[in-house]
Amino acid sequence: MARISIDIPEKQIYSTELSVRISDINFAGHLAHDAILTLTHECRARFFHSHGWTEINVEGKGIVVSDVAIVYKSEAFFPDDLMMQLYVDNVSKKSLEMVYVITHKNGGKEIARAKTAIVFFDYAERKPCPIPDVFLRVLE
């Protein structure tokens, strides 16, 4: 079976600490795949908030997630403390990729990598739009 590969970009833009909640655990007793996606959303929302934005208002423009990939490296359990690092890659006129590296806070063992393709979106016009300059400046 071919495996998805997610490389870690050079440009880290944010990091945050999160904990595995009991609701993040699946039937096998470890961190569930859908919880990984929820953790990436939390990390991204915190990044936006740290700059005074929301995911639907960066100078009046928002974002949509156009695709997602997750690669597992090891298990995590309730109530493990996690470190999430957020990177950006492949910035274009209207989109970019956000790469998330999730590790155990204590010891640094990697749990998973995830990638979301982000498209900036004008919700008033219901169509993709250029990435706002203020956002691009943060990435510099």
Side-chain angles (χ1 to χ4, degrees):
M1 173 176 88
R3 296 270 330 242
I4 296 170
S5 177
I6 300 174
D7 295 325
I8 300 174
E10 291 181 20
K11 181 70 175 173
Q12 181 180 332
I13 60 169
Y14 184 74
S15 66
T16 191
E17 297 176 13
L18 297 168
S19 295
V20 177
R21 304 164 305 171
I22 192 65
S23 59
D24 296 331
I25 301 302
N26 66 13
F27 67 92
H30 57 219
L31 184 62
H33 66 279
D34 58 328
I36 296 281
L37 187 57
T38 299
L39 291 171
T40 66
H41 187 196
E42 180 71 24
C43 179
R44 187 174 59 249
R46 288 181 182 196
F47 163 72
F48 276 75
H49 185 264
S50 74
H51 292 284
W53 307 323
T54 67
E55 292 180 309
I56 59 169
N57 189 4
V58 177
E59 289 192 339
K61 307 303 179 199
I63 63 165
V64 293
V65 175
S66 62
D67 63 43
V68 175
I70 299 172
V71 175
Y72 299 94
K73 302 290 186 173
S74 65
E75 295 177 296
F77 305 94
F78 172 78
D80 288 352
D81 291 321
L82 311 176
M83 176 61 69
M84 293 195 66
Q85 296 169 305
L86 177 59
Y87 299 81
V88 294
D89 203 14
N90 297 320
V91 178
S92 69
K93 183 179 176 185
K94 297 180 181 182
S95 66
L96 56 91
E97 292 176 344
M98 290 187 165
V99 175
Y100 313 79
V101 178
I102 306 167
T103 58
H104 286 279
K105 181 180 172 189
N106 298 321
K109 185 175 183 182
E110 191 172 347
I111 298 164
R113 294 181 188 182
K115 179 169 64 171
T116 56
I118 304 295
V119 178
F120 273 81
F121 197 76
D122 185 324
Y123 279 91
E125 295 188 24
R126 309 300 300 172
K127 65 180 187 179
C129 65
I131 299 173
D133 289 338
V134 67
F135 191 92
L136 291 172
R137 283 192 294 275
V138 166
L139 302 183
E140 293 176 349

